[in-house]
């Protein structure tokens, strides 16, 4: 169980108050999580972070700082974003338990991430678009925004509770075709965009929401590496103008 929890990375994006970083590592360590990445924190390292870590400062010492969200999750095979409220074009959010279950099932095959937003403004639409799924902790509709570290605590506990119950269930064999990483998916989406522009399906001056809708479609399914390779093969073939693929009768 411990192994699978250690494969859940917590990513804090644009944190303003270092105290929240300290409270986050305390929340993580109590629940057996240990991998923290900070995206462009306003102040870090900071004395307030160490003070509120209350003994979990080993996690602070190991925390990695990344310049942007893509750099924090490029090796991840499943990314769950958190949001206090439903955003315009985002995918519908899950409740914490099914979101934790999906994270834990994926974590058997590689690193997964739980992404938390800025204290003042949460995650941007571009950041939400990088997530395979979203989670919203049910709160009073009149006051929906939890403190950042409190949201980390709720999700870390939910993951631990799910891991405890899954530890008792028989483990099915995982598909030998490994899931694609975020970096491989980024390459696929770039390839998609290039090809759609080349075949004049996508007008770069009037892109509307096509790429975002395609991203959501593919991110939701959780593509494997060989599926990404098939899609890229189709795109390459389309770019060359179609015709019978080489080597096929
Ligand atoms: N005004 C911001 C609130 C940010 S709270 C907004 O509306 O998005 C800071 C972070 O804590 C959020 O980005 C999210 O990661 C987490 N958080 C707070 N409340 C949450 C909730 N009810 N469900 C899921 N995450 C929540």
């Amino acid at each position: 169980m411990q192994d699978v929890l250690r494969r859940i990375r917590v990513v804090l994006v644009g944190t303003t108050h270092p105290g929240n970083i300290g409270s986050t590592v305390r929340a993580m360590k109590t629940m057996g999580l240990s991998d923290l990445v900070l995206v462009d924190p306003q102040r870090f390292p900071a004395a307030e972070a160490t003070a509120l870590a209350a003994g979990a400062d080993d996690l602070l010492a190991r925390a990695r700082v990344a310049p942007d969200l893509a750099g924090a999750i490029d090796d991840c095979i499943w990314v769950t974003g958190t949001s206090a409220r439903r955003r315009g074009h985002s995918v519908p959010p899950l409740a914490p338990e099914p979101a934790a279950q999906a994270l834990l099932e994926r974590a058997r095959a590689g690193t997964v991430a739980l992404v938390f937003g800025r204290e003042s403004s949460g995650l941007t639409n571009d950041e939400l678009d990088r997530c395979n799924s979203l989670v919203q902790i049910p709160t009073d509709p009149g006051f929906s925004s939890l403190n950042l570290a409190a949201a980390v605590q709720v999700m870390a506990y939910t993951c631990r509770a799910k891991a405890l119950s899954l530890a008792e269930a028989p483990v099915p064999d995982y598909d030998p075709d490994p899931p694609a990483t975020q970096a491989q998916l980024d390459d696929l989406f770039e390839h998609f965009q290039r090809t759609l522009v080349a075949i004049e399906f996508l007008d770069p001056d009037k892109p509307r929401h096509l790429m975002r809708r395609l991203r959501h479609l593919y991110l939701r399914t959780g593509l494997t590496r060989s599926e990404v390779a098939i899609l890229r093969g189709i795109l390459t073939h389309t770019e060359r103008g179609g015709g019978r693929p080489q080597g096929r009768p």
Side-chain angles (χ1 to χ4, degrees):
M1 180 184 86
Q2 220 47 26
D3 285 359
V4 98
L5 288 171
R6 289 193 194 290
R7 283 202 217 114
I8 302 178
R9 174 175 303 160
V10 170
V11 179
L12 300 187
V13 179
T15 310
T16 312
H17 300 294
N20 276 332
I21 301 175
S23 299
T24 288
V25 287
R26 183 175 184 178
M28 288 171 63
K29 194 167 176 176
T30 50
M31 297 297 135
L33 274 60
S34 54
D35 183 7
L36 175 67
V37 178
L38 303 168
V39 174
D40 191 26
Q42 215 160 79
R43 270 195 299 131
F44 185 78
E48 298 101 299
T50 311
L52 282 158
D57 32 342
D58 53 327
L59 267 63
L60 283 184
R62 287 210 305 270
R64 186 159 69 78
V65 175
D68 55 21
L69 180 57
I73 57 172
D74 59 353
D75 58 333
C76 291
I77 56 163
W78 191 257
V79 177
T80 298
T82 57
S83 179
R85 59 198 161 87
R86 175 93 199 261
R87 304 293 183 85
H89 287 282
S90 69
V91 294
L94 297 171
E97 277 168 36
Q101 172 137 3
L103 274 168
L104 288 163
E105 281 168 1
R106 305 264 163 188
R108 289 208 293 267
T111 305
V112 298
L114 255 174
V115 182
F116 296 85
R118 299 159 188 81
E119 290 95 331
S120 55
S121 54
L123 294 167
T124 63
N125 284 335
D126 279 355
E127 287 159 353
L128 290 168
D129 285 345
R130 294 194 167 274
C131 299
N132 298 93
S133 73
L134 297 180
V135 58
Q136 188 175 11
I137 301 164
T139 48
D140 188 288
F143 195 63
S144 64
S145 176
L146 276 94
N147 161 266
L148 169 60
V152 174
Q153 184 77 75
V154 169
M155 287 312 302
Y157 167 72
T158 310
C159 288
R160 187 174 185 84
K162 260 288 166 229
L164 283 168
S165 64
L166 290 178
E168 286 154 21
V171 179
D173 283 343
Y174 207 85
D175 192 330
D177 182 14
T181 63
Q182 292 289 317
Q184 289 161 342
L185 291 171
D186 271 348
D187 291 345
L188 169 68
F189 296 135
E190 266 171 38
H191 198 165
F192 242 120
Q193 184 156 357
R194 230 176 28 241
T195 310
L196 294 176
V197 169
I199 63 169
E200 295 179 8
F201 187 83
L202 175 68
D203 179 352
D205 296 326
K206 272 187 263 153
R208 299 228 166 85
H209 292 298
L210 181 65
M211 286 316 299
R212 163 174 281 176
R213 300 292 298 273
L214 284 176
R215 262 192 107 93
H216 290 174
L217 168 66
Y218 285 110
L219 285 178
R220 212 166 49 223
T221 63
L223 293 174
T224 64
R225 285 178 209 191
S226 67
E227 287 164 346
V228 168
I230 292 169
L231 287 170
R232 294 204 58 179
I234 294 171
L235 292 171
T236 303
H237 191 68
T238 309
E239 279 175 316
R240 289 191 191 133
R244 186 169 288 167
Q246 278 184 352
R248 299 233 183 115

